[in-house]
Amino acid sequence: MWWPGVVALALVSLAVASHTPDEWKSRSIYQLLTDRFATADGSTPGCSLSGYCGGKWSGITKHLDYIKGMGFDAIWISPVVKNTEGGYHGYWMQDMYAVNPYFGDEKELKDLIKACHDQDVWVMVDVVANHVGQVGYDYSSINPFNSSVYYHDCNGCPSNCEIKDYTDEPQTEHCRTAGLPDLNQSDTFVSSQLNSWISELMTTYDFDGVRIDTVPEVSKDFWPLFQNAIGAYAVGEVYDSRVSFVSGYQGCLDGVLSYPMFFTLRNVFQYTGSSMYDIQSQFEAYQSSFKDLDLLGNFIDNHDQNRFLNGQSDTWLYKNAIVYTLMAQGIPIIYYGTEQGFNGGKDPANRELLWSTGFNNQTDLYSYIRNVINFRKQVEAWAYPQVQRYADNHFYAFTRGDTFVALTNGGYGQGSLTRTITYHPYSNGTKLCDMYAIYCLETRGRHGRLAKQQPFINNSAASGLTTAL
């Protein structure tokens, strides 16, 4: 257990231990649920997915090679604080100053982080500053917020004090999410405790970054103070499809999860009813709205959404969506189990047991993700802006530096597509090969012809793992 200390001293350490937003731009993140990734002793128990299943921090430590094998150099783990009964996911805080005993003890958490750092893997911790666990209106068991004075009342809220309209800002900030008691961050004690807690959490455990839950449910005035107390890169969850709304929170935090593009990618690749033009127009909206595209968190799956393969079994379409996630501007985040083809539906079905796969590193998707991540590192894609080169209903292409990425939404049965692309940065006679150095083309004049069914990524060097055009 750790206790509030001197914030000024913690901030001095932060400057040494944590990583800046710019440093995070080169990283690729593997998101996992601590309770579902690996057990401490290597056992493979079955369980009800609605409760604790037995995953431990020490289990993650023992299987870092599985994560590193895909090329990931950062992990995002579940919230680490003690939760109310049944909080296997970590989002029902009971004691802010104690770790979750179901996941292990303080030493095991520190051992995990040290093991990660020894292998150049950064650790992002998930945190909640909006609410506490399921205790109704009896707050006596919550540490340190054990009185009703620390919470919003229900004046003006819909029935059961729950948010009904998330486009209503006062309601969203004042009322309860899923019945969870809503902290009042305008209270001096609440604000100071949250800020000192996050500062000490970062320095006590040497975390490298933070993912923040339920950001719009808290007044924007609070977040700059919290961001400052973190002292490292923070990415917030703003669960909304509106670019104009989500982008408004990047002024409060370093980055936000790229939810508007997530919904666009799902419509284009999972449901296949939307045009690839939608990616182009959404990216244009991003360019005019967000402060820094490179600090957004790109994703195609997470713990709150039905998995992509739950609504679409075509892995060719999935690969196209994965390539966009990994190669577009932003920090890529891949949800655990993607590499195993997990297809769970609504929570908790999308929170499967990874140990049930035996940590198989020979699957097609495991290899595919590894190849794309390693290529991203090889060409240092994060150092270049995303320039849109072509779009129509079924084809979308962009470059990052010399790297060319081409995507289609026709899936396995589509067959080959051929497009003539005149807007590209390559000189006449440039040879472009896919990242496996198997399929190549040569530019002629200002025209490049591309015929390909799978996602195409290449580099004009055309050697080894190459992907550009």
Side-chain angles (χ1 to χ4, degrees):
M1 181 173 292
W2 76 98
W3 298 99
V6 182
V7 177
L9 293 178
L11 293 177
V12 171
S13 298
L14 279 175
V16 176
S18 300
H19 293 283
T20 67
D22 282 345
E23 290 175 317
W24 270 93
K25 292 177 180 179
S26 66
R27 297 279 150 164
S28 52
I29 303 171
Y30 184 79
Q31 180 201 354
L32 60 88
L33 294 190
T34 300
D35 184 62
R36 304 298 158 86
F37 184 75
T39 59
D41 59 3
S43 60
T44 57
C47 69
S48 167
L49 295 181
S50 60
Y52 283 100
C53 292
K56 307 287 186 182
W57 292 314
S58 59
I60 302 171
T61 304
K62 293 174 182 176
H63 290 282
L64 285 178
D65 57 339
Y66 173 85
I67 298 171
K68 285 275 291 183
M70 284 178 279
F72 291 104
D73 44 24
I75 60 172
W76 154 10
I77 64 173
S78 305
V80 299
V81 300
K82 183 178 180 180
N83 270 223
T84 57
E85 188 64 31
Y88 70 89
H89 39 66
Y91 298 107
W92 295 348
M93 186 273 286
Q94 180 178 29
D95 188 342
M96 213 161 58
Y97 293 108
V99 297
N100 191 330
Y102 285 93
F103 299 160
D105 58 28
E106 290 185 42
K107 182 181 182 301
E108 288 166 327
L109 178 54
K110 289 179 179 179
D111 287 346
L112 165 62
I113 296 166
K114 183 181 184 302
C116 286
H117 290 169
D118 287 346
Q119 299 189 48
D120 190 31
V121 174
W122 295 355
V123 184
M124 172 176 283
V125 63
D126 206 334
V127 301
V128 184
N130 172 66
H131 58 264
V132 300
Q134 293 183 320
V135 294
Y137 296 90
D138 178 4
Y139 311 110
S140 59
S141 64
I142 304 297
N143 181 34
F145 309 119
N146 57 3
S147 170
S148 62
V149 299
Y150 303 133
Y151 300 86
H152 287 125
D153 57 33
C154 294
N155 291 338
C157 292
S159 60
N160 299 321
C161 201
E162 292 199 22
I163 303 168
K164 301 298 183 185
D165 181 4
Y166 281 88
T167 65
D168 183 330
E169 185 174 297
Q171 182 183 136
T172 301
E173 294 178 358
H174 189 83
C175 306
R176 295 184 170 199
T177 299
L180 299 170
D182 196 71
L183 288 167
N184 180 7
Q185 291 79 11
S186 64
D187 179 86
T188 302
F189 178 81
V190 172
S191 178
S192 64
Q193 284 291 305
L194 288 170
N195 288 323
S196 63
W197 163 74
I198 192 61
S199 177
E200 293 226 2
L201 182 74
M202 297 296 289
T203 54
T204 298
Y205 293 100
D206 203 14
F207 287 115
D208 303 283
V210 174
R211 182 267 188 185
I212 306 172
D213 192 59
T214 49
V215 167
E217 286 81 349
V218 178
S219 172
K220 285 183 179 178
D221 295 341
F222 171 76
W223 292 122
L225 299 173
F226 196 70
Q227 171 75 79
N228 185 62
I230 289 170
Y233 172 68
V235 60
E237 178 202 32
V238 184
Y239 188 175
D240 199 286
S241 63
R242 297 168 293 167
V243 174
S244 60
F245 180 75
V246 177
S247 62
Y249 287 89
Q250 197 176 31
C252 307
L253 298 168
D254 294 325
V256 291
L257 295 176
S258 187
Y259 260 105
M261 186 62 81
F262 160 79
F263 288 115
T264 297
L265 295 175
R266 281 291 184 99
N267 287 337
V268 169
F269 294 116
Q270 184 183 30
Y271 304 119
T272 67
S274 296
S275 167
M276 299 286 264
Y277 279 121
D278 291 350
I279 299 177
Q280 176 180 266
S281 60
Q282 186 71 289
F283 187 74
E284 290 170 351
Y286 268 44
Q287 289 177 305
S288 63
S289 301
F290 284 103
K291 182 180 177 181
D292 190 340
L293 299 181
D294 294 307
L295 293 178
L296 303 181
N298 297 342
F299 66 101
I300 192 62
D301 281 297
N302 69 23
H303 59 296
D304 290 324
Q305 308 295 325
N306 292 5
R307 289 189 183 263
F308 183 100
L309 293 177
N310 181 258
Q312 174 58 259
S313 60
D314 190 332
T315 57
W316 291 56
L317 288 168
Y318 200 20
K319 287 179 178 179
N320 277 268
I322 289 170
V323 165
Y324 187 91
T325 300
L326 291 172
M327 293 301 298
Q329 267 190 273
I331 299 171
I333 303 168
I334 298 295
Y335 185 44
Y336 86 101
T338 296
E339 72 279 6
Q340 299 293 339
F342 281 1
N343 61 0
K346 185 178 179 180
D347 159 22
N350 59 352
R351 302 172 178 183
E352 303 97 321
L353 306 176
L354 190 68
W355 58 73
S356 68
T357 69
F359 300 93
N360 183 2
N361 61 6
Q362 301 299 313
T363 70
D364 177 53
L365 285 170
Y366 185 102
S367 298
Y368 193 78
I369 291 168
R370 178 187 62 220
N371 290 338
V372 179
I373 289 178
N374 287 339
F375 182 78
R376 178 180 184 265
K377 293 178 181 178
Q378 175 189 323
V379 300
E380 298 185 354
W382 57 86
Y384 305 96
Q386 178 175 337
V387 180
Q388 302 192 111
R389 299 296 181 177
Y390 187 93
D392 62 28
N393 286 331
H394 300 293
F395 190 96
Y396 174 77
F398 64 90
T399 58
R400 299 195 70 178
D402 289 335
T403 301
F404 179 89
V405 181
L407 307 172
T408 68
N409 66 348
Y412 179 78
Q414 174 181 255
S416 294
L417 291 178
T418 300
R419 296 292 187 270
T420 298
I421 300 173
T422 59
Y423 177 50
H424 63 72
Y426 311 110
S427 59
N428 185 33
T430 300
K431 187 178 183 180
L432 307 169
C433 297
D434 68 11
M435 68 179 179
Y436 300 106
I438 295 174
Y439 177 85
C440 297
L441 59 83
E442 187 173 293
T443 59
R444 297 177 181 177
R446 296 298 294 168
H447 296 74
R449 289 179 63 80
L450 179 64
K452 198 65 177 169
Q453 184 177 25
Q454 296 191 57
F456 181 92
I457 319 173
N458 83 302
N459 185 280
S460 54
S463 62
L465 276 177
T466 40
T467 344
L469 197 152

